[in-house]
Amino acid sequence: MKKSQIIFSTFSPLMAVDTELVGSGAEAVATPRVYSLCRCGESGRKPLCDGTHAKKGFVGEREDSNKPALEYYRGGEITIVYDRYLCMGAGFCGELEAVFGTHDAPKYEPDAAPVEDIIATIRKCPSGALSYIVGNEPFRKYYGATRIVVEKDGPLHCQGEITLIDDQDSDLLLPDADHFTLCRCGGSKKKPVCDGSHETNGFKGG
Ligand code: FES
């Protein structure tokens, strides 16, 4: 098991263990070894939890029962791997429209651009939804440091060797996943992961 963990139940905040926290201004945030991060969107101490979820009756159940289900798009030199569940719609893939299409009309054309351009684009994907295979080797791990980075008015970017544990033994992530984004606005339909709802629900998280 990885040393750093994020643990939660249906009704709880996110409990981080042995995980460095970086604020939305790129500042290191001093925390105890175990600390709680808001995921109801209502804390007065964001990104930390202040207990408001209990007063508001927060329920973190997913409305969408999607689970990781990898899709493979094979090309001559590279296979694009897409995990629809993890996608937060950050949109970096749209920068390479010939390969990934647009937000409204996505596609996966692994032979439509140089391999190095496809790899550079995939590596910008913060949610881990996109990865790739060259030869027989999957490439999913890009982060050396293990930490949680707060995005201003957006999700928690979890990077490095972090195990995500819930109270239902859910296999939310691949065992070797090293980056994913967790909802902290309370509005995601794919809780605990971010689905991009913070972009439209007016979330202000600092
Ligand atoms: S932070 Fe809640 S959906 Fe992105």
Side-chain angles (χ1 to χ4, degrees):
M1 170 133 356
K2 298 164 185 171
K3 178 170 165 277
S4 295
Q5 300 176 341
I6 297 175
I7 304 168
F8 65 99
S9 74
T10 301
F11 305 101
S12 80
L14 300 162
M15 303 257 299
V17 183
D18 287 332
T19 312
E20 181 187 333
L21 181 63
V22 178
S24 58
E27 74 284 11
V29 180
T31 63
R33 185 177 171 207
V34 179
Y35 59 94
S36 295
L37 290 160
C38 174
R39 74 181 184 113
C40 73
E42 309 252 6
S43 171
R45 295 179 59 222
K46 297 183 194 76
L48 301 175
C49 167
D50 69 354
T52 300
H53 63 279
K55 294 180 206 135
K56 300 272 183 178
F58 171 74
V59 180
E61 252 166 357
R62 286 190 294 278
E63 295 168 32
D64 183 328
S65 60
N66 277 349
K67 289 286 181 61
L70 301 184
E71 300 168 14
Y72 296 87
Y73 299 91
R74 292 187 172 81
E77 293 183 71
I78 188 170
T79 297
I80 297 170
V81 184
Y82 179 55
D83 182 342
R84 195 171 297 278
Y85 172 67
L86 285 183
C87 184
M88 62 170 276
F92 291 105
C93 52
E95 295 174 6
L96 200 57
E97 192 176 329
V99 175
F100 295 102
T102 62
H103 183 269
D104 294 331
K107 62 179 183 178
Y108 302 91
E109 302 280 358
D111 293 326
V115 168
E116 54 272 22
D117 292 354
I118 297 175
I119 290 173
T121 301
I122 288 176
R123 286 180 173 237
K124 291 180 189 171
C125 172
S127 67
L130 283 173
S131 60
Y132 62 97
I133 298 170
V134 173
N136 288 322
E137 191 176 355
F139 290 86
R140 277 195 279 274
K141 305 175 84 148
Y142 321 132
Y143 290 93
T146 294
R147 58 190 193 168
I148 299 170
V149 180
V150 179
E151 178 183 321
K152 181 169 169 34
D153 304 331
L156 301 165
H157 293 241
C158 305
Q159 302 168 347
E161 299 275 313
I162 302 176
T163 303
L164 186 63
I165 302 170
D166 73 358
D167 57 346
Q168 296 163 23
D169 268 346
S170 304
D171 290 324
L172 296 167
L173 304 170
L174 296 174
D176 63 348
D178 88 329
H179 53 292
F180 50 93
T181 44
L182 295 181
C183 173
R184 68 185 185 105
C185 75
S188 173
K189 294 181 173 57
K190 300 193 293 188
K191 297 184 185 70
V193 302
C194 167
D195 71 353
S197 292
H198 61 274
E199 295 277 1
T200 54
N201 64 13
F203 175 62
K204 294 288 175 215

Coordinates of all heavy atoms in Angstrom, one line a residue, residues 25-119:
G25 N -2.4 29.1 -4.2 CA -1.3 30.1 -4.6 C 0.0 29.5 -4.6 O 1.1 30.1 -4.6
A26 N 0.1 28.1 -4.7 CA 1.3 27.3 -4.8 C 2.1 27.4 -3.5 O 3.3 27.0 -3.4 CB 2.2 27.8 -5.9
E27 N 1.5 27.8 -2.4 CA 2.1 27.9 -1.1 C 2.0 26.5 -0.3 O 0.9 25.9 -0.4 CB 1.6 29.0 -0.2 CG 0.2 28.8 0.4 CD -1.0 28.9 -0.6 OE1 -0.8 29.0 -1.8 OE2 -2.1 28.9 -0.1
A28 N 3.0 26.1 0.4 CA 2.9 24.9 1.2 C 2.0 25.2 2.4 O 2.1 26.3 3.1 CB 4.3 24.5 1.7
V29 N 1.0 24.4 2.7 CA 0.1 24.5 3.8 C 0.5 23.6 4.9 O 0.6 22.4 4.7 CB -1.3 24.2 3.4 CG1 -2.3 24.4 4.5 CG2 -1.7 25.1 2.2
A30 N 0.8 24.2 6.1 CA 1.2 23.3 7.2 C -0.1 22.6 7.7 O -1.1 23.1 7.9 CB 1.7 24.2 8.3
T31 N 0.1 21.3 7.9 CA -1.0 20.4 8.3 C -0.5 19.4 9.3 O 0.7 19.1 9.3 CB -1.6 19.6 7.2 OG1 -0.7 18.8 6.6 CG2 -2.2 20.5 6.1
P32 N -1.3 18.9 10.2 CA -0.9 17.7 11.0 C -0.8 16.5 10.1 O -1.1 16.6 8.9 CB -2.1 17.6 12.0 CG -3.2 18.3 11.4 CD -2.7 19.3 10.4
R33 N -0.4 15.4 10.7 CA -0.2 14.2 9.9 C -1.5 13.7 9.2 O -1.6 13.2 8.1 CB 0.4 13.1 10.8 CG 0.7 11.9 10.0 CD 1.3 10.8 10.9 NE 1.4 9.6 10.1 CZ 1.4 8.4 10.6 NH1 1.3 8.2 11.9 NH2 1.4 7.3 9.8
V34 N -2.6 13.9 10.0 CA -3.9 13.6 9.5 C -4.8 14.8 9.5 O -4.8 15.5 10.5 CB -4.6 12.5 10.4 CG1 -6.0 12.2 9.8 CG2 -3.8 11.2 10.4
Y35 N -5.4 15.2 8.4 CA -6.2 16.4 8.3 C -7.4 16.1 7.4 O -7.4 15.2 6.6 CB -5.4 17.6 7.9 CG -4.7 17.4 6.5 CD1 -5.3 17.9 5.4 CD2 -3.5 16.8 6.4 CE1 -4.7 17.8 4.1 CE2 -2.9 16.7 5.2 CZ -3.5 17.2 4.0 OH -2.9 17.1 2.8
S36 N -8.4 16.9 7.5 CA -9.7 16.8 6.8 C -9.8 17.9 5.7 O -9.7 19.1 6.1 CB -10.9 16.7 7.7 OG -10.8 15.6 8.5
L37 N -10.2 17.5 4.5 CA -10.4 18.4 3.4 C -11.9 18.5 3.1 O -12.6 17.5 3.0 CB -9.6 18.0 2.2 CG -8.1 18.1 2.3 CD1 -7.4 17.2 1.3 CD2 -7.7 19.6 2.1
C38 N -12.4 19.7 2.9 CA -13.8 19.9 2.6 C -14.2 19.3 1.3 O -13.4 19.4 0.3 CB -14.1 21.4 2.6 SG -15.8 21.8 2.0
R39 N -15.3 18.6 1.2 CA -15.8 18.1 -0.1 C -17.3 18.4 -0.3 O -17.9 17.9 -1.2 CB -15.5 16.7 -0.4 CG -16.3 15.6 0.4 CD -15.8 14.2 0.0 NE -16.5 13.2 0.5 CZ -17.3 12.3 -0.1 NH1 -17.4 12.5 -1.4 NH2 -17.9 11.3 0.5
C40 N -17.8 19.2 0.7 CA -19.2 19.6 0.5 C -19.3 21.0 -0.1 O -20.4 21.4 -0.5 CB -19.9 19.6 1.9 SG -19.5 21.0 3.0
G41 N -18.2 21.7 -0.2 CA -18.1 23.0 -0.8 C -18.5 24.1 0.1 O -18.6 25.3 -0.3
E42 N -18.9 23.9 1.4 CA -19.5 24.9 2.3 C -18.6 25.3 3.4 O -19.0 26.1 4.2 CB -20.8 24.3 2.8 CG -21.7 23.8 1.7 CD -22.9 24.7 1.5 OE1 -23.0 25.8 2.1 OE2 -23.8 24.3 0.8
S43 N -17.4 24.7 3.6 CA -16.6 25.0 4.7 C -16.2 26.5 4.7 O -15.9 27.1 3.7 CB -15.3 24.1 4.7 OG -14.4 24.6 5.7
G44 N -16.1 27.1 5.9 CA -15.6 28.4 6.0 C -14.0 28.4 6.1 O -13.5 29.5 6.2
R45 N -13.4 27.3 6.1 CA -12.0 27.2 6.2 C -11.4 26.5 5.0 O -10.3 25.8 5.1 CB -11.6 26.4 7.5 CG -12.0 27.0 8.8 CD -11.6 26.1 10.0 NE -10.1 25.9 10.0 CZ -9.6 24.7 10.2 NH1 -10.3 23.6 10.5 NH2 -8.3 24.5 10.3
K46 N -12.0 26.6 3.9 CA -11.5 25.8 2.7 C -10.0 26.1 2.5 O -9.6 27.2 2.7 CB -12.2 26.3 1.4 CG -13.7 26.0 1.4 CD -14.3 26.4 0.1 CE -15.8 26.4 0.1 NZ -16.4 27.6 0.8
P47 N -9.2 25.1 2.1 CA -9.7 23.8 1.6 C -10.0 22.8 2.8 O -10.3 21.7 2.5 CB -8.5 23.3 0.8 CG -7.3 23.9 1.4 CD -7.8 25.3 1.9
L48 N -9.7 23.3 4.0 CA -9.9 22.4 5.1 C -11.4 22.3 5.5 O -12.2 23.2 5.3 CB -9.1 22.8 6.3 CG -7.6 22.9 6.0 CD1 -6.8 23.5 7.2 CD2 -7.0 21.5 5.7
C49 N -11.7 21.2 6.2 CA -13.1 21.0 6.7 C -13.3 21.7 8.0 O -12.4 21.7 8.8 CB -13.3 19.5 6.9 SG -14.8 19.0 7.8
D50 N -14.5 22.3 8.2 CA -14.8 22.9 9.5 C -16.1 22.3 10.1 O -16.6 22.9 11.0 CB -15.0 24.5 9.3 CG -16.3 24.8 8.5 OD1 -16.9 23.9 8.0 OD2 -16.6 26.0 8.4
G51 N -16.5 21.2 9.6 CA -17.6 20.5 10.1 C -19.0 20.9 9.5 O -20.0 20.3 9.9
T52 N -19.0 21.8 8.6 CA -20.3 22.3 8.0 C -21.0 21.2 7.4 O -22.3 21.2 7.4 CB -20.0 23.4 7.0 OG1 -19.3 24.5 7.7 CG2 -21.3 23.9 6.4
H53 N -20.3 20.2 6.8 CA -21.0 19.1 6.1 C -22.0 18.4 7.0 O -23.1 18.0 6.5 CB -20.0 18.0 5.6 CG -19.2 17.4 6.7 ND1 -18.1 17.9 7.3 CD2 -19.4 16.2 7.3 CE1 -17.7 17.1 8.2 NE2 -18.4 16.1 8.2
A54 N -21.7 18.3 8.3 CA -22.6 17.6 9.2 C -23.9 18.4 9.4 O -25.0 17.9 9.5 CB -21.9 17.3 10.5
K55 N -23.7 19.8 9.6 CA -24.9 20.7 9.8 C -25.7 20.7 8.5 O -27.0 20.8 8.6 CB -24.4 22.1 10.1 CG -23.6 22.2 11.4 CD -23.2 23.6 11.7 CE -22.0 23.6 12.6 NZ -20.9 24.5 12.2
K56 N -25.1 20.6 7.4 CA -25.9 20.7 6.1 C -26.4 19.4 5.7 O -27.1 19.3 4.7 CB -25.0 21.3 5.0 CG -24.5 22.7 5.3 CD -25.4 23.8 4.9 CE -24.9 25.1 5.1 NZ -25.7 26.2 4.7
G57 N -26.0 18.3 6.3 CA -26.5 17.0 5.9 C -25.9 16.5 4.6 O -26.6 15.9 3.8
F58 N -24.6 16.8 4.4 CA -24.0 16.4 3.1 C -24.0 14.9 2.9 O -23.7 14.1 3.9 CB -22.5 16.9 3.1 CG -21.7 16.4 2.0 CD1 -21.9 16.9 0.7 CD2 -20.8 15.4 2.2 CE1 -21.1 16.4 -0.4 CE2 -20.0 14.9 1.1 CZ -20.2 15.4 -0.2
V59 N -24.4 14.5 1.7 CA -24.3 13.1 1.3 C -23.5 13.0 0.1 O -23.8 13.6 -0.9 CB -25.7 12.5 1.1 CG1 -25.7 11.0 0.7 CG2 -26.6 12.7 2.3
G60 N -22.4 12.2 0.2 CA -21.5 12.2 -0.9 C -21.7 11.0 -1.9 O -20.8 10.6 -2.6
E61 N -22.9 10.5 -1.9 CA -23.2 9.4 -2.8 C -23.1 9.8 -4.3 O -23.5 10.9 -4.6 CB -24.6 8.8 -2.6 CG -24.5 7.5 -1.9 CD -25.9 7.1 -1.4 OE1 -26.9 7.9 -1.5 OE2 -25.9 6.0 -0.8
R62 N -22.6 8.9 -5.1 CA -22.6 9.2 -6.5 C -24.0 9.1 -7.1 O -24.7 8.2 -6.8 CB -21.7 8.2 -7.3 CG -20.2 8.4 -7.1 CD -19.5 7.6 -8.0 NE -19.7 6.2 -7.7 CZ -19.0 5.5 -6.8 NH1 -18.1 6.1 -6.1 NH2 -19.2 4.2 -6.6
E63 N -24.4 10.1 -8.0 CA -25.6 10.0 -8.7 C -25.4 9.2 -10.0 O -26.3 8.7 -10.6 CB -26.1 11.4 -9.1 CG -26.5 12.2 -7.9 CD -26.7 13.7 -8.3 OE1 -27.1 14.0 -9.4 OE2 -26.4 14.6 -7.5
D64 N -24.1 9.1 -10.3 CA -23.7 8.4 -11.6 C -23.0 7.2 -11.1 O -22.0 7.2 -10.3 CB -22.8 9.3 -12.4 CG -22.4 8.7 -13.7 OD1 -22.3 7.5 -13.8 OD2 -22.2 9.5 -14.6
S65 N -23.4 6.0 -11.6 CA -22.7 4.8 -11.1 C -21.5 4.4 -12.0 O -21.1 3.3 -11.9 CB -23.7 3.6 -11.1 OG -24.3 3.4 -12.4
N66 N -21.1 5.3 -12.8 CA -19.9 5.0 -13.6 C -18.7 4.5 -12.8 O -18.5 5.0 -11.7 CB -19.4 6.3 -14.4 CG -20.2 6.5 -15.6 OD1 -21.0 5.6 -16.0 ND2 -20.1 7.7 -16.2
K67 N -18.0 3.6 -13.3 CA -16.8 3.1 -12.7 C -15.7 3.2 -13.7 O -16.0 3.3 -14.9 CB -17.0 1.7 -12.2 CG -17.9 1.6 -11.0 CD -17.1 2.1 -9.7 CE -17.9 2.0 -8.5 NZ -18.3 0.6 -8.2
P68 N -14.4 3.0 -13.3 CA -13.4 3.0 -14.3 C -13.7 1.9 -15.4 O -14.0 0.8 -15.0 CB -12.1 2.6 -13.5 CG -12.5 3.1 -12.1 CD -13.9 2.9 -11.9
A69 N -13.6 2.4 -16.6 CA -13.8 1.4 -17.7 C -13.0 2.0 -18.8 O -13.3 3.0 -19.5 CB -15.3 1.4 -18.1
L70 N -11.8 1.3 -19.0 CA -10.9 1.9 -20.0 C -11.3 1.6 -21.4 O -11.7 0.6 -21.8 CB -9.5 1.3 -19.7 CG -8.9 1.5 -18.3 CD1 -7.5 1.0 -18.2 CD2 -9.0 3.0 -17.9
E71 N -11.1 2.7 -22.2 CA -11.3 2.6 -23.7 C -10.0 2.7 -24.3 O -9.2 3.5 -23.9 CB -12.3 3.7 -24.1 CG -13.6 3.7 -23.5 CD -14.4 5.0 -23.7 OE1 -14.1 5.7 -24.6 OE2 -15.4 5.2 -23.0
Y72 N -9.7 1.8 -25.3 CA -8.4 1.8 -26.0 C -8.6 2.2 -27.5 O -9.5 1.7 -28.2 CB -7.8 0.4 -25.9 CG -7.5 0.0 -24.5 CD1 -8.5 -0.7 -23.8 CD2 -6.3 0.2 -24.0 CE1 -8.2 -1.0 -22.4 CE2 -6.0 -0.2 -22.7 CZ -6.9 -0.8 -21.9 OH -6.7 -1.2 -20.6
Y73 N -7.8 3.2 -27.9 CA -7.8 3.6 -29.3 C -6.4 3.4 -29.9 O -5.5 4.1 -29.6 CB -8.2 5.1 -29.3 CG -9.6 5.3 -28.8 CD1 -9.8 5.6 -27.4 CD2 -10.7 5.2 -29.5 CE1 -11.0 5.8 -26.9 CE2 -12.0 5.3 -29.0 CZ -12.1 5.6 -27.7 OH -13.4 5.8 -27.1
R74 N -6.3 2.3 -30.7 CA -5.0 1.9 -31.1 C -4.7 2.5 -32.5 O -5.4 2.6 -33.4 CB -5.1 0.4 -31.3 CG -5.2 -0.4 -30.0 CD -5.1 -1.9 -30.1 NE -5.0 -2.4 -28.7 CZ -6.1 -2.7 -28.0 NH1 -7.3 -2.4 -28.5 NH2 -6.0 -3.2 -26.8
G75 N -3.4 3.0 -32.5 CA -2.8 3.6 -33.7 C -1.6 2.8 -34.1 O -1.2 1.8 -33.5
G76 N -0.9 3.3 -35.1 CA 0.3 2.6 -35.6 C 1.4 2.6 -34.6 O 2.1 1.6 -34.4
E77 N 1.6 3.8 -33.9 CA 2.7 3.9 -32.9 C 2.3 4.1 -31.5 O 3.1 3.8 -30.6 CB 3.5 5.1 -33.3 CG 4.3 5.0 -34.6 CD 5.1 6.2 -34.9 OE1 6.1 6.4 -34.2 OE2 4.7 7.0 -35.8
I78 N 1.1 4.5 -31.3 CA 0.6 4.8 -29.9 C -0.8 4.3 -29.7 O -1.6 4.4 -30.7 CB 0.8 6.3 -29.6 CG1 0.5 6.6 -28.1 CG2 -0.1 7.1 -30.5 CD1 0.9 8.0 -27.7
T79 N -1.1 3.9 -28.5 CA -2.5 3.6 -28.2 C -3.0 4.6 -27.1 O -2.3 4.8 -26.1 CB -2.7 2.2 -27.6 OG1 -2.3 1.2 -28.6 CG2 -4.1 1.9 -27.1
I80 N -4.0 5.3 -27.4 CA -4.6 6.3 -26.5 C -5.6 5.5 -25.6 O -6.4 4.8 -26.0 CB -5.3 7.4 -27.2 CG1 -4.4 8.2 -28.1 CG2 -6.0 8.4 -26.2 CD1 -5.1 9.2 -29.0
V81 N -5.4 5.8 -24.2 CA -6.3 5.1 -23.3 C -7.1 6.2 -22.6 O -6.6 7.2 -22.1 CB -5.5 4.3 -22.2 CG1 -6.4 3.6 -21.3 CG2 -4.5 3.4 -22.9
Y82 N -8.4 5.9 -22.5 CA -9.3 7.0 -22.0 C -10.2 6.3 -20.9 O -10.8 5.3 -21.1 CB -10.2 7.5 -23.1 CG -11.2 8.6 -22.6 CD1 -10.8 9.7 -21.9 CD2 -12.6 8.4 -22.9 CE1 -11.7 10.6 -21.4 CE2 -13.5 9.3 -22.4 CZ -13.0 10.5 -21.7 OH -13.9 11.4 -21.3
D83 N -10.2 6.9 -19.7 CA -11.0 6.5 -18.6 C -12.1 7.5 -18.4 O -11.9 8.6 -17.8 CB -10.2 6.3 -17.3 CG -11.0 5.8 -16.2 OD1 -12.3 5.9 -16.2 OD2 -10.4 5.4 -15.2
R84 N -13.3 7.3 -18.9 CA -14.4 8.2 -18.9 C -14.8 8.6 -17.5 O -15.1 9.8 -17.2 CB -15.6 7.6 -19.6 CG -16.7 8.6 -20.0 CD -17.7 7.9 -20.9 NE -17.2 7.4 -22.1 CZ -17.0 8.2 -23.2 NH1 -17.4 9.4 -23.2 NH2 -16.5 7.7 -24.3
Y85 N -14.6 7.7 -16.5 CA -15.0 8.0 -15.2 C -14.2 9.1 -14.6 O -14.7 10.0 -13.9 CB -14.9 6.7 -14.3 CG -15.1 7.0 -12.9 CD1 -16.3 7.4 -12.3 CD2 -14.0 6.8 -12.0 CE1 -16.5 7.6 -11.0 CE2 -14.2 7.1 -10.6 CZ -15.4 7.4 -10.1 OH -15.6 7.7 -8.8
L86 N -12.9 9.1 -14.8 CA -12.0 10.1 -14.2 C -12.0 11.5 -14.9 O -11.6 12.4 -14.3 CB -10.5 9.6 -14.3 CG -10.1 8.5 -13.3 CD1 -8.6 8.2 -13.5 CD2 -10.4 8.8 -11.9
C87 N -12.6 11.6 -16.1 CA -12.5 12.8 -16.8 C -13.3 13.9 -16.1 O -14.4 13.8 -15.7 CB -13.1 12.6 -18.2 SG -13.0 14.1 -19.2
M88 N -12.6 15.1 -16.0 CA -13.2 16.3 -15.4 C -13.4 17.3 -16.4 O -13.8 18.4 -16.1 CB -12.3 16.9 -14.2 CG -10.9 17.3 -14.7 SD -10.0 18.2 -13.4 CE -10.7 19.9 -13.6
G89 N -13.1 17.0 -17.7 CA -13.4 18.0 -18.8 C -12.5 19.2 -18.7 O -12.9 20.3 -19.1
A90 N -11.3 19.0 -18.3 CA -10.3 20.1 -18.2 C -10.1 20.7 -19.6 O -9.8 21.9 -19.7 CB -9.0 19.7 -17.6
G91 N -10.1 19.9 -20.6 CA -10.1 20.5 -22.0 C -8.7 20.6 -22.6 O -8.6 21.0 -23.8
F92 N -7.7 20.2 -21.9 CA -6.3 20.3 -22.6 C -6.2 19.4 -23.8 O -5.5 19.8 -24.8 CB -5.2 19.9 -21.6 CG -5.1 20.8 -20.4 CD1 -5.5 20.5 -19.2 CD2 -4.5 22.0 -20.6 CE1 -5.4 21.4 -18.1 CE2 -4.3 22.9 -19.6 CZ -4.8 22.6 -18.3
C93 N -7.0 18.3 -23.9 CA -6.9 17.5 -25.1 C -7.4 18.2 -26.3 O -7.0 17.9 -27.4 CB -7.7 16.2 -24.8 SG -9.4 16.4 -24.2
G94 N -8.3 19.1 -26.1 CA -8.9 19.9 -27.2 C -7.9 20.7 -27.9 O -8.1 21.2 -29.0
E95 N -6.7 20.9 -27.3 CA -5.6 21.7 -27.9 C -5.1 21.0 -29.1 O -4.4 21.5 -30.0 CB -4.5 22.0 -26.9 CG -5.0 22.9 -25.8 CD -3.9 23.1 -24.7 OE1 -2.8 22.6 -24.9 OE2 -4.2 23.7 -23.7
L96 N -5.3 19.6 -29.2 CA -4.9 18.8 -30.3 C -6.1 18.3 -31.0 O -6.4 17.1 -30.9 CB -3.9 17.7 -29.8 CG -3.0 17.1 -30.9 CD1 -2.1 18.1 -31.5 CD2 -2.2 16.0 -30.2
E97 N -6.8 19.2 -31.6 CA -8.1 18.9 -32.1 C -8.1 17.8 -33.2 O -9.1 17.0 -33.2 CB -8.8 20.1 -32.7 CG -10.2 20.0 -33.0 CD -10.9 21.3 -33.5 OE1 -10.4 22.4 -33.1 OE2 -11.8 21.2 -34.3
A98 N -7.1 17.7 -34.0 CA -7.1 16.6 -35.0 C -7.1 15.2 -34.4 O -7.7 14.3 -35.0 CB -5.8 16.7 -35.8
V99 N -6.6 15.1 -33.2 CA -6.6 13.8 -32.5 C -7.8 13.6 -31.6 O -8.4 12.5 -31.6 CB -5.3 13.6 -31.7 CG1 -5.3 12.3 -30.9 CG2 -4.1 13.7 -32.6
F100 N -8.1 14.7 -30.8 CA -9.1 14.5 -29.7 C -10.4 15.2 -30.0 O -11.4 15.1 -29.2 CB -8.5 15.0 -28.4 CG -7.3 14.2 -27.9 CD1 -6.1 14.7 -28.1 CD2 -7.5 13.0 -27.3 CE1 -5.0 14.0 -27.6 CE2 -6.5 12.3 -26.9 CZ -5.2 12.7 -27.0
G101 N -10.5 15.9 -31.1 CA -11.8 16.6 -31.4 C -12.0 17.7 -30.5 O -11.1 18.4 -30.0
T102 N -13.3 18.1 -30.3 CA -13.7 19.2 -29.4 C -14.5 18.7 -28.3 O -14.9 17.5 -28.2 CB -14.5 20.2 -30.2 OG1 -15.7 19.5 -30.7 CG2 -13.8 20.7 -31.5
H103 N -14.8 19.6 -27.4 CA -15.6 19.2 -26.2 C -16.9 18.6 -26.6 O -17.4 17.6 -26.1 CB -15.8 20.4 -25.3 CG -16.6 20.2 -24.1 ND1 -18.0 20.3 -24.0 CD2 -16.2 19.7 -22.8 CE1 -18.4 19.9 -22.8 NE2 -17.3 19.6 -22.1
D104 N -17.5 19.3 -27.6 CA -18.9 18.8 -28.1 C -18.8 17.6 -29.0 O -19.8 16.9 -29.2 CB -19.6 20.0 -28.7 CG -20.0 21.0 -27.7 OD1 -20.1 20.7 -26.5 OD2 -20.0 22.2 -28.1
A105 N -17.7 17.5 -29.7 CA -17.5 16.4 -30.6 C -16.2 15.7 -30.4 O -15.3 15.8 -31.2 CB -17.7 16.9 -32.0
P106 N -16.0 15.0 -29.3 CA -14.7 14.3 -29.0 C -14.5 13.1 -30.0 O -15.4 12.6 -30.5 CB -14.9 13.8 -27.6 CG -16.4 13.7 -27.4 CD -17.0 14.7 -28.2
K107 N -13.2 12.9 -30.2 CA -12.8 11.7 -31.0 C -11.4 11.3 -30.6 O -10.8 12.0 -29.8 CB -12.9 12.1 -32.5 CG -11.9 13.1 -32.9 CD -11.9 13.4 -34.4 CE -10.8 14.4 -34.8 NZ -10.8 14.7 -36.2
Y108 N -11.0 10.2 -31.1 CA -9.7 9.6 -30.7 C -9.1 9.1 -32.0 O -9.4 8.0 -32.4 CB -9.8 8.6 -29.6 CG -10.5 9.2 -28.4 CD1 -11.9 9.1 -28.3 CD2 -9.8 9.9 -27.4 CE1 -12.6 9.6 -27.2 CE2 -10.5 10.5 -26.4 CZ -11.8 10.3 -26.3 OH -12.5 10.9 -25.2
E109 N -8.1 9.8 -32.5 CA -7.5 9.5 -33.8 C -6.0 9.4 -33.5 O -5.3 10.4 -33.8 CB -7.8 10.5 -34.9 CG -9.3 10.7 -35.1 CD -9.8 9.7 -36.0 OE1 -9.1 8.8 -36.5 OE2 -11.1 9.7 -36.3
P110 N -5.5 8.3 -33.1 CA -4.0 8.2 -32.7 C -3.0 8.4 -33.8 O -1.8 8.5 -33.5 CB -3.9 6.9 -32.0 CG -5.1 6.1 -32.5 CD -6.2 7.1 -32.8
D111 N -3.5 8.3 -35.0 CA -2.5 8.5 -36.2 C -2.6 9.9 -36.8 O -2.0 10.2 -37.8 CB -2.8 7.4 -37.2 CG -2.5 6.0 -36.7 OD1 -1.5 5.9 -35.9 OD2 -3.2 5.1 -37.1
A112 N -3.4 10.8 -36.2 CA -3.7 12.1 -36.8 C -2.7 13.2 -36.4 O -2.8 14.3 -36.8 CB -5.1 12.5 -36.4
A113 N -1.6 12.9 -35.6 CA -0.6 13.9 -35.2 C 0.6 13.1 -34.8 O 0.6 11.9 -34.5 CB -1.1 14.7 -34.1
P114 N 1.8 13.8 -34.8 CA 3.0 13.1 -34.4 C 2.9 12.6 -32.9 O 2.2 13.2 -32.1 CB 4.1 14.3 -34.4 CG 3.5 15.3 -35.4 CD 2.0 15.2 -35.3
V115 N 3.5 11.4 -32.7 CA 3.3 10.8 -31.4 C 3.8 11.7 -30.3 O 3.1 11.7 -29.2 CB 4.2 9.5 -31.4 CG1 4.3 8.9 -30.0 CG2 3.5 8.4 -32.3
E116 N 4.9 12.4 -30.5 CA 5.3 13.3 -29.4 C 4.3 14.4 -29.0 O 4.2 14.8 -27.9 CB 6.7 13.9 -29.7 CG 6.9 14.7 -31.0 CD 7.2 13.8 -32.2 OE1 7.0 12.6 -32.2 OE2 7.7 14.4 -33.1
D117 N 3.6 14.9 -30.0 CA 2.6 15.9 -29.7 C 1.4 15.2 -28.9 O 0.8 15.9 -28.0 CB 2.0 16.5 -31.0 CG 3.0 17.3 -31.8 OD1 4.1 17.5 -31.2 OD2 2.8 17.7 -32.9
I118 N 1.1 14.0 -29.3 CA 0.0 13.3 -28.6 C 0.4 13.1 -27.1 O -0.4 13.3 -26.2 CB -0.4 12.0 -29.3 CG1 -0.9 12.3 -30.7 CG2 -1.4 11.2 -28.4 CD1 -1.2 11.0 -31.5
I119 N 1.6 12.6 -26.9 CA 2.1 12.4 -25.6 C 2.1 13.7 -24.7 O 1.7 13.7 -23.6 CB 3.5 11.7 -25.6 CG1 3.4 10.3 -26.2 CG2 4.2 11.7 -24.2 CD1 4.8 9.6 -26.4

